[in-house]
Amino acid sequence: MGFKVMGANRHLEDTVTEPAVPDLASLTIGVLGGTGPQGKGLALRWAVAGLRVVIGSRSAERAEKAAAELAELAVSVNPSAEVSGADNHGCAAAADLVLVAVPWDGHDALLTSLREQLAGKIVIDCVNPLGFDKQGPFPLRVAEGSAAQQAAALLPESRVTAAFHHVSAVTLADLSVPKIDLDVLVLGEDRAATDQVRALADTIPGVRGVYGGRLRNAGQVEALTANLIAINRRYKTHAGIRITDLP
Ligand SMILES: NC(=O)c1ccc[n+]([C@@H]2O[C@H](COP(=O)([O-])OP(=O)(O)OC[C@H]3O[C@@H](n4cnc5c(N)ncnc54)[C@H](OP(=O)(O)O)[C@@H]3O)[C@@H](O)[C@H]2O)c1
């Protein structure tokens, strides 16, 4: 797929240069709520890939404990792996890229409290606002449209993206699974930010980061997790998604 730039705009388009995407090895990745399965799982895979990771928690002590456990696991695969822990405030302040991996219930209050520490940074929201009843999982209605759009509204000075909604924490934690068969949809308004997050997804073997549209399209990506959980329950698996026919 492609399109041509016509007429007077052509010259303008030719001269536009995209901002460079920094090398991930030079950055620190923060994981808010990194003591839970999702944050821990992603942190483990990133540490194994050689990235510097800081686990965040409401309690510095819990963060340090989780970081020590992850460091031990990661170092057994990559001796130079680095994982540290801090309270969420310290984690957000220390990191260049910050994953939000807390339950939907705590999303609004946590992000509101970290607005200053997250200013100017790439924030990655993986939160799925879901409910569960007798019929199984279902997407909750979110006033802003999605968790990611709520993050963008609460963090006007941050570069908010949405990604990692469909990756299974169980698979991430299992280092006997060397490659994870998954596309990670990355949404956002800022091309350099979504490129950076795609590159972060690509550090996990088998995973491919794919641009998935603007944040106004995050609601259905978050909601799709309800379908994946229903699939997992029926087929006793950890299902993910793949996008076909990409170059
Ligand atoms: N689990 C998965 O497979 C998966 C997959 C894709 C996306 N996600 C999304 O990732 C997020 C985290 O999932 P999870 O399964 O890891 O969740 P979780 O275990 O319920 O929560 C993660 C961490 O968040 C912190 N936390 C709990 N309540 C909080 C609150 N009210 N305010 C601030 N922090 C709070 C806790 O850490 P401290 O007590 O140490 O602060 C907890 O360890 C969820 O939004 C989920 O939708 C999960």
Side-chain angles (χ1 to χ4, degrees):
M1 199 174 81
F3 54 83
K4 285 185 178 162
V5 179
M6 304 298 287
N9 286 337
R10 180 174 191 141
H11 173 70
L12 184 68
E13 189 75 10
D14 284 345
T15 60
V16 170
T17 44
E18 289 290 342
V21 175
D23 179 7
L24 283 167
S26 67
L27 304 179
T28 298
I29 320 297
V31 182
L32 304 174
T35 55
Q38 173 72 349
K40 262 183 161 174
L42 285 167
L44 176 63
R45 295 289 178 157
W46 290 330
V48 165
L51 306 182
R52 201 163 43 238
V53 181
V54 183
I55 296 293
S57 162
R58 288 168 295 181
S59 142
E61 202 183 344
R62 276 200 297 280
E64 283 158 15
K65 187 167 172 278
E69 285 166 22
L70 291 171
E72 196 179 332
L73 286 169
V75 163
S76 68
V77 183
N78 178 351
S80 60
E82 258 185 81
V83 189
S84 58
D87 63 16
N88 284 324
H89 185 286
C91 167
D96 302 295
L97 261 85
V98 182
L99 176 79
V100 186
V102 296
W104 169 238
D105 279 357
H107 187 257
D108 180 333
L110 179 71
L111 295 186
T112 302
S113 73
L114 297 177
R115 183 175 298 188
E116 204 178 302
Q117 291 72 30
L118 295 174
K121 298 184 178 176
I122 295 178
V123 172
I124 310 160
D125 204 299
C126 72
V127 172
N128 294 312
L130 297 179
F132 294 85
D133 64 14
K134 280 185 194 157
Q135 294 179 56
F138 64 95
L140 298 174
R141 275 210 186 87
V142 176
E144 294 84 351
S146 61
Q149 285 166 290
Q150 182 185 83
L154 294 171
L155 305 172
E157 291 169 56
S158 301
R159 302 162 73 195
V160 174
T161 64
F164 301 104
H165 305 88
H166 307 142
V167 60
S168 154
V170 176
T171 310
L172 288 168
D174 183 357
L175 289 180
S176 72
V177 180
K179 281 188 168 191
I180 299 183
D181 185 19
L182 179 77
D183 280 343
V184 165
L185 294 182
V186 181
L187 295 88
E189 307 303 318
D190 170 341
R191 173 77 181 255
T194 54
D195 284 352
Q196 184 89 77
V197 177
R198 287 196 304 111
L200 182 64
D202 290 347
T203 63
I204 303 173
V207 174
R208 179 177 60 170
V210 177
Y211 173 67
R214 302 284 184 137
L215 287 185
R216 67 181 180 177
N217 292 311
Q220 56 268 30
V221 173
E222 295 169 7
L224 183 63
T225 308
N227 302 77
L228 291 174
I229 294 171
I231 292 166
N232 289 343
R233 288 181 172 183
R234 172 70 64 93
Y235 298 99
K236 310 276 179 257
T237 187
H238 302 291
I241 62 159
R242 279 291 188 200
I243 306 300
T244 61
D245 205 24
L246 287 180

